[in-house]
Amino acid sequence: MTKTFTPARPIWCAGCGDFGVLQALVGAMEELNIPPHERFVTAGIGCSGSLQNNLSCYGYHTLHGRVLPTVTGAKLANPELTVVGVGGDGDGYAIGGGHLMHAFKRNPGITYIVMNNGTYGLTKGQASPTAPTGYQDNVEEDLDPVMLGLSIPGSTFIARAYSGQPAQLLRLTKAALEHTAAGGGMSYLEVLSPCVTYNDTYRDWRTSVYDVDEEEGYEPTNRAMAFTRMQELREDGRLPLGLIYTGERPSLESLSLNMDFVAPALQDITKPDLSGVCNDALQSFIK
Ligand SMILES: Cc1ncc(C[n+]2csc(CCOP(=O)(O)OP(=O)(O)O)c2C)c(N)n1
Ligand code: SF4
Ligand SMILES: [Mg+2]
């Protein structure tokens, strides 16, 4: 336990945007009084994935691209935990892209933070799905995961922050955790988090970000307005930040629990019928 709850020192390059994401997550969890033993943080493989080593929590590195099924399973196993998935744009939008749309659709009670740097940092700078046309000879149009999330009716919380704007990043990280804690389901927060070594976008992003939180008349509860505005801003070459969409829909675990599903971690394993089932399961491995 001492080892689990003693954060390691980050090994990121000086100036990596992921430092800001770590600071915001630690700050938000402290401000919301979430104790370390009630945090479950799972990370994908990538520079961003090492964030999980740097804060006090339970959790582990899962397989590359498998953050969302892992955190969904953890939440169903113990709905009392604060469950957070963290990873990169390669992890979440390339190899893990198939899971993203189903997670939006299922709306599990988890927070998912993607550190988008438009590159595969850990493997030395290949183009990711969000890399712009021209980066490393990329001939494809970049993916907009915010618009993907908006196009899926089950999604309930979509926000984007920039690690160069720490006050807003902290506020949105807290809002994401609060949405999920209130039973609202999945909160998705993409953070524009520059990779200073392989794709240093600080200069470009500083001038192209656009804050919808400050826009008069913008209604984050209006999905159609959000989608139209995202499209317009994209055409103008802007990167929208802020609380982009929030809606209401029951969380996956609330629906599952209504179906007589008892979360495994909350079952009384001293009950004779349950201990019999556990013993049978163990015996089946021995046979
Ligand atoms: C199944 C599998 N395929 C490929 C890899 C190699 N790999 C490790 S990290 C990575 C991409 C990392 O990019 P991203 O998720 O954007 O994280 P970043 O390092 O940029 O934070 C890849 C392709 C792997 N570890 N496992
Ligand atoms: S290679 Fe890029 S993403 Fe990885 S730690 Fe360095 S700056 Fe961050
Ligand atoms: Mg990346």
Side-chain angles (χ1 to χ4, degrees), residues 107-113 156-158 175-180 184-189:
N107 199 33
I110 59 102
T111 296
Y112 183 41
I113 301 175
T156 56
F157 183 103
I158 298 173
L177 291 167
E178 284 172 327
H179 172 85
T180 304
M186 174 162 141
S187 47
Y188 163 70
L189 173 63

Short mmCIF file of all heavy atoms in Angstrom, two decimals, residues 107-113 156-158 175-180 184-189:
data_model
loop_
_atom_site.label_atom_id
_atom_site.label_comp_id
_atom_site.label_asym_id
_atom_site.label_seq_id
_atom_site.Cartn_x
_atom_site.Cartn_y
_atom_site.Cartn_z
N ASN A 107 -22.33 5.01 -21.85
CA ASN A 107 -22.34 6.00 -20.77
C ASN A 107 -22.01 5.42 -19.38
O ASN A 107 -22.75 5.64 -18.40
CB ASN A 107 -23.72 6.70 -20.76
CG ASN A 107 -23.69 8.02 -20.03
OD1 ASN A 107 -22.69 8.73 -20.05
ND2 ASN A 107 -24.78 8.35 -19.34
N PRO A 108 -20.89 4.71 -19.25
CA PRO A 108 -20.52 4.20 -17.93
C PRO A 108 -20.05 5.34 -17.02
O PRO A 108 -19.59 6.38 -17.51
CB PRO A 108 -19.35 3.25 -18.24
CG PRO A 108 -18.73 3.82 -19.48
CD PRO A 108 -19.87 4.40 -20.28
N GLY A 109 -20.12 5.14 -15.72
CA GLY A 109 -19.75 6.18 -14.76
C GLY A 109 -18.26 6.32 -14.57
O GLY A 109 -17.72 6.07 -13.49
N ILE A 110 -17.60 6.74 -15.62
CA ILE A 110 -16.14 6.90 -15.58
C ILE A 110 -15.77 8.26 -16.18
O ILE A 110 -16.53 8.83 -16.95
CB ILE A 110 -15.42 5.77 -16.36
CG1 ILE A 110 -15.85 5.73 -17.84
CG2 ILE A 110 -15.71 4.42 -15.72
CD1 ILE A 110 -14.89 6.31 -18.79
N THR A 111 -14.58 8.73 -15.83
CA THR A 111 -14.03 9.94 -16.46
C THR A 111 -12.90 9.50 -17.39
O THR A 111 -12.05 8.71 -16.98
CB THR A 111 -13.50 10.91 -15.39
OG1 THR A 111 -14.61 11.33 -14.59
CG2 THR A 111 -12.83 12.13 -15.99
N TYR A 112 -12.94 9.97 -18.60
CA TYR A 112 -11.90 9.59 -19.57
C TYR A 112 -11.17 10.84 -20.04
O TYR A 112 -11.77 11.75 -20.63
CB TYR A 112 -12.56 8.87 -20.76
CG TYR A 112 -11.58 8.36 -21.80
CD1 TYR A 112 -10.37 7.77 -21.43
CD2 TYR A 112 -11.87 8.44 -23.16
CE1 TYR A 112 -9.48 7.29 -22.39
CE2 TYR A 112 -10.99 7.96 -24.12
CZ TYR A 112 -9.80 7.39 -23.72
OH TYR A 112 -8.91 6.91 -24.67
N ILE A 113 -9.87 10.89 -19.75
CA ILE A 113 -9.05 12.05 -20.12
C ILE A 113 -8.05 11.64 -21.20
O ILE A 113 -7.23 10.75 -20.98
CB ILE A 113 -8.30 12.61 -18.89
CG1 ILE A 113 -9.30 13.02 -17.80
CG2 ILE A 113 -7.42 13.80 -19.28
CD1 ILE A 113 -8.66 13.47 -16.49
N THR A 156 -22.87 12.15 -22.79
CA THR A 156 -23.49 13.08 -21.82
C THR A 156 -22.55 14.20 -21.33
O THR A 156 -23.03 15.13 -20.69
CB THR A 156 -24.00 12.33 -20.58
OG1 THR A 156 -22.92 11.58 -20.00
CG2 THR A 156 -25.16 11.41 -20.92
N PHE A 157 -21.25 14.08 -21.59
CA PHE A 157 -20.34 15.15 -21.14
C PHE A 157 -19.13 15.18 -22.06
O PHE A 157 -18.37 14.20 -22.12
CB PHE A 157 -19.90 14.91 -19.69
CG PHE A 157 -19.03 16.01 -19.12
CD1 PHE A 157 -19.56 16.94 -18.23
CD2 PHE A 157 -17.68 16.12 -19.46
CE1 PHE A 157 -18.77 17.96 -17.69
CE2 PHE A 157 -16.89 17.13 -18.94
CZ PHE A 157 -17.43 18.05 -18.05
N ILE A 158 -18.97 16.28 -22.77
CA ILE A 158 -17.86 16.41 -23.71
C ILE A 158 -17.21 17.78 -23.49
O ILE A 158 -17.88 18.81 -23.57
CB ILE A 158 -18.36 16.29 -25.17
CG1 ILE A 158 -18.97 14.89 -25.40
CG2 ILE A 158 -17.25 16.55 -26.16
CD1 ILE A 158 -19.65 14.71 -26.73
N ALA A 175 -15.28 19.57 -13.16
CA ALA A 175 -16.65 19.42 -13.70
C ALA A 175 -16.87 18.00 -14.24
O ALA A 175 -17.94 17.41 -14.06
CB ALA A 175 -16.89 20.45 -14.80
N ALA A 176 -15.84 17.44 -14.86
CA ALA A 176 -15.95 16.08 -15.40
C ALA A 176 -16.15 15.08 -14.26
O ALA A 176 -17.05 14.23 -14.30
CB ALA A 176 -14.68 15.74 -16.20
N LEU A 177 -15.33 15.19 -13.22
CA LEU A 177 -15.46 14.27 -12.08
C LEU A 177 -16.82 14.44 -11.40
O LEU A 177 -17.44 13.46 -10.97
CB LEU A 177 -14.32 14.51 -11.08
CG LEU A 177 -12.91 14.11 -11.55
CD1 LEU A 177 -11.85 14.70 -10.62
CD2 LEU A 177 -12.76 12.59 -11.61
N GLU A 178 -17.29 15.68 -11.32
CA GLU A 178 -18.58 15.94 -10.66
C GLU A 178 -19.74 15.38 -11.47
O GLU A 178 -20.69 14.84 -10.91
CB GLU A 178 -18.75 17.45 -10.43
CG GLU A 178 -17.91 17.95 -9.27
CD GLU A 178 -17.90 19.47 -9.13
OE1 GLU A 178 -17.97 20.18 -10.15
OE2 GLU A 178 -17.79 19.95 -8.00
N HIS A 179 -19.67 15.50 -12.79
CA HIS A 179 -20.73 14.95 -13.65
C HIS A 179 -20.89 13.46 -13.38
O HIS A 179 -22.00 12.95 -13.21
CB HIS A 179 -20.37 15.20 -15.12
CG HIS A 179 -21.28 14.52 -16.11
ND1 HIS A 179 -22.47 15.08 -16.53
CD2 HIS A 179 -21.19 13.31 -16.74
CE1 HIS A 179 -23.05 14.26 -17.38
NE2 HIS A 179 -22.30 13.18 -17.53
N THR A 180 -19.77 12.77 -13.33
CA THR A 180 -19.81 11.32 -13.13
C THR A 180 -20.22 10.97 -11.70
O THR A 180 -21.03 10.07 -11.48
CB THR A 180 -18.43 10.72 -13.48
OG1 THR A 180 -18.12 11.11 -14.83
CG2 THR A 180 -18.43 9.21 -13.40
N GLY A 184 -24.20 10.99 -13.60
CA GLY A 184 -24.48 11.39 -14.99
C GLY A 184 -23.83 10.50 -16.04
O GLY A 184 -24.09 10.66 -17.23
N GLY A 185 -22.94 9.61 -15.63
CA GLY A 185 -22.29 8.73 -16.61
C GLY A 185 -20.94 9.27 -17.06
O GLY A 185 -20.27 10.02 -16.35
N MET A 186 -20.56 8.87 -18.26
CA MET A 186 -19.18 9.13 -18.72
C MET A 186 -18.91 10.61 -18.98
O MET A 186 -19.65 11.28 -19.69
CB MET A 186 -18.93 8.35 -20.00
CG MET A 186 -17.60 8.65 -20.65
SD MET A 186 -17.15 7.36 -21.82
CE MET A 186 -16.44 8.31 -23.15
N SER A 187 -17.82 11.09 -18.39
CA SER A 187 -17.34 12.44 -18.72
C SER A 187 -16.07 12.28 -19.55
O SER A 187 -15.13 11.60 -19.14
CB SER A 187 -17.09 13.26 -17.46
OG SER A 187 -16.36 12.54 -16.50
N TYR A 188 -16.10 12.90 -20.69
CA TYR A 188 -14.97 12.81 -21.63
C TYR A 188 -14.31 14.19 -21.71
O TYR A 188 -14.96 15.19 -22.02
CB TYR A 188 -15.49 12.38 -23.00
CG TYR A 188 -14.54 12.63 -24.15
CD1 TYR A 188 -13.36 11.90 -24.28
CD2 TYR A 188 -14.82 13.60 -25.10
CE1 TYR A 188 -12.49 12.14 -25.34
CE2 TYR A 188 -13.96 13.84 -26.17
CZ TYR A 188 -12.80 13.10 -26.27
OH TYR A 188 -11.95 13.35 -27.31
N LEU A 189 -13.03 14.22 -21.37
CA LEU A 189 -12.27 15.48 -21.41
C LEU A 189 -11.04 15.27 -22.28
O LEU A 189 -10.16 14.47 -21.94
CB LEU A 189 -11.84 15.88 -19.99
CG LEU A 189 -10.90 17.09 -19.88
CD1 LEU A 189 -11.57 18.37 -20.40
CD2 LEU A 189 -10.46 17.29 -18.42
#
